[in-house]
Amino acid sequence: MGYVVLHLQKAKGNDAPMSAHIERTIDPHNVDKTRTHLNKELIHFPEGVNSRTEAIQHRIEDADIKRKISKDQVRAIRIMLSGTHEDMKDIEESGNLDNWCTDNIDWLKQTYGEKNLVSAVLHMDEKTPHIHATVVPIVTGERRKEKTQKQDKPDKPNKKQYRKKDRSISRLCADDVMARNKLKEYQNSYAEWMKPYGLERGIDGSKAKHTETYEYYRELSIKNEVMHQRIEALEQQEKEAYIRYEQANILKQQKETELKNTDEALKQSKGQLKTEKFVNKAADVGSTIMDGIGSVMGTSKVKKQQHEIDNLKADKETLAKEVKELKQDIKNIQKEHETTLDKLKQELKKIYDLFPNIKELLRIENLCNHLRFSESLIKKILEMKPVGFKGKIYSAEYERSFETDHSVAEVKPHPTEEGKLEFTIDSMSHVNWFRQKYQEFQRAIGINIKQKQDMVINKSKGFKI
């Protein structure tokens, strides 16, 4: 049985960069474009709403919120829903993915409110099928802060009572939705809904105890899976920070171009204004009547140009301010990106320090993937016990597959290198096993290996046969 993956994160502003990632208006580096057409919108937008960003704003406007929403207030919560890689692939291959999606949407609506769920997209073009859901944190009822204060400090006798706010009024409050006790409830509740698909909640704390070698590695494998989930969540945060950085950089370049164009237009207008004033001055030489007419026309045109210059100056100041703010935003995003990267490195170091064998197990897993073992077989092999198999396995060294009717794969401690693991097939290293299979193949097609070796030796000495 695998594990559920449920990750919640607050989104800042209108979360446009993440919308670009979810809606694939930009191409992330880890996406298989040949599968992007399999992605699916699971929530239909209201009429007139065409994107996730618009849907967030539409929900807020439709909620009749009385209190003013501040610029830095959290407007949406991103939720990523998935499961252990091999289990999600099993759900997909068994034709049960549509039911899994339906149950996920039902759980989201029941947990956060149907109206608050404004977007949900199934991604099939990344390593593991998953859903990106967006919830607008609109709540009613007693404020969490007031409730806590009431429990900690009950009202004293004769204390002046103030009129309480109407608790039925809708308000935007991410902190209420993301309260620590609720986050744990979400994990428990979601795991219950996903049980029919062979998924369960991750390990919630454990007590140290003596175990046999097999049990130790079995538990290590489970912990390794949980660590993978934490790493994927951190990598997702890093990716989102990079997307926001790229979007801010593009916007900054656009604003700088607009500023340059505005500056050029301002210079051109000033030049035209000087020319017009010169023409008006020259008109004084003419007749009184023509002077009057020219003066009126000139004054009107000069005023219009002066008005245009004033507008351009205002635009220039506004654009300069926006560019300055964007530069600061880019600096902040870059810092956030570096912080996320440092956090990821620290998490990895902690994982490797706590579980020294994980590095080796990951190397063996990578090797098995290159040999084209199935996911289920790799999982059994990583439990460090003998696993029987048959069929074809691929060798990159010989650039061909070799077939076996029955062989036994096993991960063992390396015979000569301390702290290392060795992947064996039929009690020999996989390198020697493939070498033996290749020699059998050569003999089968009539190549005498001894004769071939003698030819190579003689050729190196300069003799001909």
Side-chain angles (χ1 to χ4, degrees):
M1 182 173 273
Y3 299 99
V4 296
V5 175
L6 179 67
H7 180 62
L8 287 82
Q9 187 178 22
K10 295 176 182 178
K12 295 180 179 178
N14 61 9
D15 208 29
M18 193 59 191
S19 292
H21 167 76
I22 292 172
E23 295 168 358
R24 294 295 189 252
T25 55
I26 61 171
D27 294 323
H29 68 279
N30 63 329
V31 161
D32 180 359
K33 293 181 183 179
T34 62
R35 289 176 58 83
T36 298
H37 69 282
L38 298 173
N39 294 351
K40 190 186 296 183
E41 291 277 358
L42 303 176
I43 294 290
H44 297 293
F45 297 136
E47 188 176 350
V49 174
N50 302 308
S51 68
R52 173 180 174 272
T53 301
E54 290 180 15
I56 293 169
Q57 188 59 31
H58 179 272
R59 172 59 184 139
I60 292 171
E61 291 172 356
D62 193 50
D64 192 28
I65 298 172
K66 305 297 183 185
R67 190 172 182 177
K68 185 179 178 182
I69 298 171
S70 62
K71 185 180 178 181
D72 60 346
Q73 195 164 350
V74 174
R75 287 168 167 75
I77 294 171
R78 308 180 201 131
I79 305 176
M80 201 266 279
L81 309 100
S82 186
T84 313
H85 174 71
E86 55 266 26
D87 294 280
M88 289 305 302
K89 283 297 182 183
D90 287 344
I91 290 170
E92 180 187 354
E93 289 166 8
S94 66
N96 216 11
L97 192 62
D98 285 343
N99 292 332
W100 180 81
C101 288
T102 300
D103 283 344
N104 271 270
I105 296 300
D106 288 345
W107 179 80
L108 286 164
K109 288 178 179 178
Q110 180 175 303
T111 305
Y112 304 103
E114 185 171 354
K115 290 183 178 180
N116 289 341
L117 178 63
V118 298
S119 172
V121 178
L122 171 68
H123 276 180
M124 298 291 292
D125 54 0
E126 295 181 54
K127 183 180 177 183
T128 305
H130 60 276
I131 293 173
H132 282 291
T134 304
V135 168
V136 178
I138 293 173
V139 298
T140 56
E142 190 173 19
R143 293 175 183 273
R144 187 167 60 93
K145 187 176 179 181
E146 290 176 358
K147 189 174 181 180
T148 305
Q149 288 175 344
K150 190 182 291 183
Q151 291 170 348
D152 296 342
K153 299 178 182 179
D155 290 341
K156 295 179 181 179
N158 303 321
K159 186 177 178 181
K160 186 176 179 180
Q161 297 294 318
Y162 294 92
R163 188 180 63 175
K164 294 181 180 178
K165 294 178 181 177
D166 187 351
R167 290 171 185 159
S168 65
I169 294 175
S170 298
R171 52 193 172 84
L172 187 69
C173 186
D175 287 343
D176 276 17
V177 177
M178 297 280 282
R180 186 180 295 273
N181 63 318
K182 287 189 177 180
L183 291 175
K184 191 167 185 177
E185 287 174 13
Y186 300 151
Q187 295 288 345
N188 293 335
S189 169
Y190 183 59
E192 282 296 319
W193 278 66
M194 293 296 107
K195 272 186 179 179
Y197 302 97
L199 299 170
E200 63 183 6
R201 196 191 193 292
I203 298 171
D204 186 19
S206 61
K207 295 180 180 178
K209 57 180 180 180
H210 175 73
T211 56
E212 297 297 329
T213 304
Y214 165 70
E215 283 297 318
Y216 168 76
Y217 284 112
R218 188 181 71 83
E219 289 185 8
L220 184 63
S221 179
I222 293 171
K223 289 174 182 175
N224 182 27
E225 186 62 48
V226 176
M227 293 299 184
H228 267 304
Q229 293 172 14
R230 290 173 65 187
I231 291 168
E232 285 179 3
L234 285 166
E235 286 175 342
Q236 180 70 19
Q237 291 176 29
E238 182 193 357
K239 182 167 62 179
E240 289 168 7
Y242 178 76
I243 290 168
R244 293 200 302 276
Y245 171 79
E246 287 296 310
Q247 291 284 325
N249 202 32
I250 291 167
L251 189 57
K252 171 180 162 285
Q253 290 171 4
Q254 289 173 349
K255 293 296 180 184
E256 285 176 340
T257 303
E258 287 178 28
L259 181 59
K260 185 180 177 182
N261 293 339
T262 303
D263 200 31
E264 288 175 0
L266 182 59
K267 288 176 182 177
Q268 187 178 355
S269 295
K270 284 180 177 178
Q272 289 174 353
L273 182 60
K274 285 179 182 178
T275 303
E276 191 63 34
K277 285 180 177 178
F278 176 76
V279 170
N280 290 339
K281 191 174 181 180
D284 290 340
V285 181
S287 66
T288 305
I289 297 172
M290 292 304 295
D291 180 58
I293 295 170
S295 179
V296 172
M297 291 178 65
T299 302
S300 175
K301 195 168 184 180
V302 167
K303 283 182 177 179
K304 184 179 178 182
Q305 287 181 329
Q306 188 63 55
H307 183 64
E308 287 177 358
I309 288 171
D310 291 340
N311 287 340
L312 286 167
K313 281 183 178 178
D315 289 346
K316 182 179 177 180
E317 288 174 4
T318 301
L319 287 168
K321 186 179 178 182
E322 287 182 12
V323 169
K324 187 178 178 181
E325 288 175 354
L326 283 167
K327 282 182 179 178
Q328 186 59 45
D329 286 346
I330 289 171
K331 191 176 179 181
N332 292 340
I333 292 168
Q334 217 164 9
K335 188 176 180 181
E336 182 185 343
H337 176 77
E338 289 168 2
T339 302
T340 303
L341 200 59
D342 289 342
K343 188 177 178 182
L344 176 59
K345 287 177 181 177
Q346 289 169 10
E347 286 282 346
L348 283 172
K349 186 179 183 304
K350 185 178 178 182
I351 291 166
Y352 293 148
D353 289 344
L354 288 171
F355 309 106
N357 265 353
I358 280 185
K359 264 188 181 179
E360 282 296 290
L361 288 170
L362 290 173
R363 183 180 64 80
I364 298 294
E365 178 194 23
N366 187 49
L367 171 63
C368 290
N369 277 318
H370 280 88
L371 299 181
R372 299 180 183 173
F373 282 105
S374 67
E375 291 283 347
S376 57
L377 190 59
I378 292 173
K379 189 175 180 180
K380 291 178 181 177
I381 290 169
L382 292 177
E383 291 177 353
M384 296 189 70
K385 63 178 183 179
V387 180
F389 70 95
K390 64 179 181 178
K392 293 181 179 180
I393 52 175
Y394 180 77
S395 167
E397 181 183 356
Y398 299 108
E399 297 182 341
R400 62 179 295 110
S401 294
F402 296 97
E403 191 164 6
T404 174
D405 292 331
H406 178 72
S407 288
V408 176
E410 186 177 4
V411 178
K412 300 178 180 178
H414 199 282
T416 58
E417 297 183 42
E418 188 177 352
K420 293 282 186 179
L421 297 175
E422 182 181 47
F423 180 63
T424 65
I425 303 176
D426 295 335
S427 298
M428 65 180 79
S429 73
H430 72 282
V431 175
N432 289 336
W433 189 86
F434 277 120
R435 185 179 293 129
Q436 179 179 297
K437 284 290 180 181
Y438 186 63
Q439 290 171 357
E440 290 174 4
F441 165 72
Q442 287 180 310
R443 285 194 290 270
I445 61 176
I447 297 176
N448 188 311
I449 297 170
K450 180 72 169 61
Q451 184 181 6
K452 186 177 179 182
Q453 289 172 342
D454 291 342
M455 288 175 67
V456 172
I457 293 169
N458 289 329
K459 188 175 181 181
S460 67
K461 292 179 179 179
F463 297 134
K464 294 182 180 178
I465 295 178

